[in-house]
Amino acid sequence: MSTHASDPLAALSSLPGVADAVDSVRKAVDRVYGHRVMRRRSNEISSEAALRGARGSAALSGADWALEEVRRRTDFGSDSEARTVGAALRLGAEAGQLLSIWRQSPLRVLARLHLVAAGDPGASVGRPRLDGETVDEPLVTAPLPTPAEVGGRLDGLAELIVAGGEAPALVTAAVVHGELLALRPFTSYNGLVARAAERIALVGSGLDPKAICPAEVGHAEQGRAAYLAAFEGYLSGTPEGVGGWIAHCGRSVELGVRESTAVCEALQRGAA
């Protein structure tokens, strides 16, 4: 990550491919917000985006259920996949309630997200992991930072979020996502929490105020292999790697926009 003294997140905008990704995402988001259905039925689009985003995030965490299965199921505690889907759905519902807290206390929001995902107040839930605690995150196998490093980097990330700055929403959201995947600060559900935090960053920035552009859909559509390859680029810390990760997140937002545009079109056909 760049260490530009005044605004390190804004400095990332100059990395290879990032400016184009930011511009492309802004144009895509503007187009879906301009859809005629959004003027009358934006709440329906938001609800559907949350459902589809949860399905996509769960798929990346190993529970790749069909959308209609996610929609119809009511029991999410019977096995590991069901618990993953349930956690993703709870996070999707909770994210919108945390926007007002995010810019003042992002670490509090992350703790809340983990508690919501875990669904029970266990001893390790809702706080960063301690020395000797294991992490259940099968998707990401990169070496785990120590709890001491996790604490320092989380504090640094929180300081950047609270300070604000001139960084585009996509850049901030991609860094939040990438850092949380790299740190895996909790004993479980780190991938789900990282993607929920990315969504909060996109919505809270004003880029997607109605939460209708589910990046999780795009991450899942591009596939686990592409997701992990882009994340490896982020971990590398090289300008090309970090820029590639941000561009990958941008493409995911655009695919989320495409999904919600299709929902708008379906609702429009139904109303015709």
Side-chain angles (χ1 to χ4, degrees):
M1 212 185 299
S2 170
T3 55
H4 188 280
S6 60
D7 193 344
L9 289 179
L12 298 181
S13 300
S14 63
L15 293 179
V18 171
D20 288 344
V22 168
D23 184 58
S24 186
V25 164
R26 166 51 68 189
K27 289 177 179 176
V29 172
D30 285 348
R31 282 195 299 272
V32 72
Y33 270 84
H35 197 287
R36 59 185 296 183
V37 169
M38 281 296 297
R39 293 196 294 270
R40 307 184 309 275
R41 304 178 73 173
S42 65
N43 287 343
E44 292 175 68
I45 307 301
S46 297
S47 295
E48 190 65 20
L51 180 74
R52 294 177 184 226
R55 193 217 75 80
S57 191
L60 283 173
S61 287
D64 191 1
W65 290 11
L67 180 63
E68 292 312 312
E69 177 75 358
V70 176
R71 197 189 303 279
R72 73 170 186 81
R73 281 284 288 269
T74 57
D75 171 24
F76 296 105
S78 57
D79 57 52
S80 176
E81 285 196 9
R83 287 193 294 273
T84 296
V85 174
L89 288 168
R90 290 192 298 273
L91 286 172
E94 184 77 6
Q97 312 302 313
L98 299 172
L99 294 171
S100 62
I101 307 170
W102 176 249
R103 284 295 294 271
Q104 286 74 44
S105 186
L107 298 186
R108 188 174 148 204
V109 169
L110 294 176
R112 175 64 184 170
L113 289 175
H114 185 239
L115 180 62
V116 168
D120 68 78
S124 65
V125 172
R127 60 151 175 82
R129 55 188 165 82
L130 305 176
D131 283 318
E133 290 183 330
T134 58
V135 173
D136 179 16
E137 185 55 55
L139 180 61
V140 179
T141 59
L144 276 172
T146 65
E149 184 180 353
V150 168
R153 284 172 64 176
L154 281 178
D155 286 343
L157 182 64
E159 288 171 9
L160 290 173
I161 294 166
V162 171
E166 299 301 316
L170 172 64
V171 171
T172 300
V175 168
V176 166
H177 185 169
E179 278 293 281
L180 292 174
L181 273 187
L183 296 176
R184 281 148 288 160
F186 304 111
T187 56
S188 59
Y189 297 115
N190 288 287
L192 294 180
V193 168
R195 291 184 288 275
E198 178 188 44
R199 169 179 279 234
I200 289 172
L202 290 168
V203 174
S205 68
L207 175 68
D208 179 23
K210 295 183 183 294
I212 61 167
C213 307
E216 308 97 316
V217 167
H219 287 305
E221 186 171 333
Q222 293 186 84
R224 296 174 80 176
Y227 182 75
L228 291 174
F231 174 59
E232 287 294 329
Y234 180 84
L235 284 179
S236 75
T238 65
E240 295 77 14
V242 176
W245 168 253
I246 295 170
H248 181 87
C249 291
R251 179 59 179 158
S252 295
V253 175
E254 291 187 63
L255 290 169
V257 167
R258 188 176 72 179
E259 186 91 351
S260 287
T261 300
V263 173
C264 287
E265 296 292 337
L267 287 174
Q268 184 169 290
R269 288 194 298 273

